[in-house]
Every structure is written in C-alpha cells, then in structure tokens.
C-alpha cells in the first residue's frame, strides 16, 4: 500500500500541461531546426547550380546561409535547455507537489522565479511569432515558383524567368527544398503553439 500511494503521489505530481508543452516545443524545434538546416543547404545547391553568375555574390550568399545555420544550432541548444528549466519549474509549482510536501509556503524568491519564467516565455513567444512569419517567406516564394512552373511556356506575354526556371521545374531538388521549407514552417508553428 505504501509503494502504491507513493506511485499515485508521483503520478499526481506530474505537471501534464507543462510536459505536453515541453514535448511539443522539442518536436517543433527538431522539425524547424532539422528541416530548416537542410532546406538552407539545398537552397545553396539550387542557387549555385541554376542562378550563380557572379562568384563573389555567391560567396556572400553562402556565408549568409552558414550564418543562419549557426543561428539554428544556437536556437536548438537554447530551447533544449530552456525546455528543461520550464519543465522543472512546472514540477516545482504543481499543486500536487505542494500536497506531497504537506504545508507549502511560497517564498518571495519562488514567486519571483515563476514570474520571470512567465515573462521570458511570453517574450520568446512574441519573438517566435516573428520567426514563424519569417519562415513563411521562403514557403510563399517557392509556392509562387511552383505555380509559375505550371504555366505553359507559350503563355502571354512570354516565358517567365527564362531557362533557369524551366530547368529548376524539372529538378527533384526544387521540390525537396520546397517540402523542407514547409516542414520547417510547420515546426515553427508547433513551437509557437507550445510557447503559448
């Protein structure tokens, strides 16, 4: 009976909303970071193969892509650690935990810590809303390219974007890149939902 009661108390002490939000955050970040990183790599290949005319411009763009990939590494690390901290704070503040420890008095430090986490999480959600909107840009751009690929090449007033676009439309890399950006966009949406 003592072991059973202990198990029931432990199960009751789990902050399920925080746990679900943490898992959603991790899933969304994994999708965003993994697919975003790969989409950027594929974009570099597409530009190099079909659009690079000036070597200097391509070098600048390639270094810009590398910068964004390093930002993705940083985001993944930060959200992994922040998710652990939020989950630990969720365990700490769950009413079931308070019942487990009997009479529980909230300290000034504990209230301040909880308030800090709430404020930081809302600021992150607002920032992540901007990331979510920013991630929509390549999806929209590639969607328009795909729609242009469906136009007949003798459509008036003439050929759209010339042979470069015609070549991209026939490549599987374009559609893989498009799907990766859609997945990264979905991952950003899931992360935003988890933060909210």
């Amino acid at each position: 009976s003592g072991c059973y009661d202990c198990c029931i108390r432990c199960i009751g002490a789990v902050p399920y909303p925080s746990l679900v939000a943490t898992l959603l955050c991790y899933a969304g970040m994994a999708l965003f970071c993994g697919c975003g990183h790969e989409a950027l790599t594929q974009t570099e290949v597409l530009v190099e193969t079909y659009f690079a005319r000036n070597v200097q411009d391509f070098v600048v763009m390639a270094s810009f892509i590398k910068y964004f990939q390093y930002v993705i590494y940083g985001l993944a690390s930060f959200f992994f650690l922040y998710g652990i901290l939020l989950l630990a704070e969720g365990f700490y503040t769950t009413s079931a935990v308070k019942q487990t420890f009997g009479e529980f008095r909230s300290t000034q430090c504990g209230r301040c810590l909880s308030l800090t986490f709430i404020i930081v999480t809302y600021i992150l959600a607002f920032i992540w809303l901007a990331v979510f909107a920013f991630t929509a840009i390549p999806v929209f751009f590639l969607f328009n390219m795909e729609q242009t690929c469906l136009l007949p090449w003798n459509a008036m007033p003439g050929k759209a974007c010339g042979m470069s676009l015609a070549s991209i439309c026939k490549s599987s890399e374009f559609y893989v890149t498009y799907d990766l950006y859609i997945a990264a966009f979905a991952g950003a949406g899931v992360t935003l939902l988890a933060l909210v």
Side-chain angles (χ1 to χ4, degrees), residues 146-162:
E146 184 191 36
Q147 294 304 307
T148 307
C149 284
L150 300 175
L151 290 173
W153 290 107
N154 59 356
M156 293 300 290
K159 294 183 179 179
C161 302

Side-chain angles (χ1 to χ4, degrees), residues 72-156:
I72 284 174
Y73 300 148
L75 281 173
S77 303
F78 172 78
F79 273 93
F80 177 74
L81 293 173
Y82 192 68
I84 290 173
L85 287 173
L86 279 180
L87 190 57
E89 200 262 345
F91 272 101
Y92 177 72
T93 56
T94 300
S95 60
V97 172
K98 296 175 187 176
Q99 292 168 8
T100 301
F101 290 111
E103 186 64 28
F104 182 88
R105 288 185 177 83
S106 174
T107 63
Q108 188 71 25
C109 181
R111 285 194 298 269
C112 183
L113 186 64
S114 294
L115 183 62
T116 302
F117 272 119
I118 289 168
I119 291 169
V120 169
T121 302
Y122 273 106
I123 290 170
L124 284 174
F126 182 75
I127 292 170
W128 203 254
L129 182 62
V131 172
F132 178 66
F134 182 75
T135 311
I137 294 171
V139 174
F140 179 71
F141 180 74
L142 292 174
F143 172 78
N144 282 333
M145 281 184 70
E146 184 191 36
Q147 294 304 307
T148 307
C149 284
L150 300 175
L151 290 173
W153 290 107
N154 59 356
M156 293 300 290

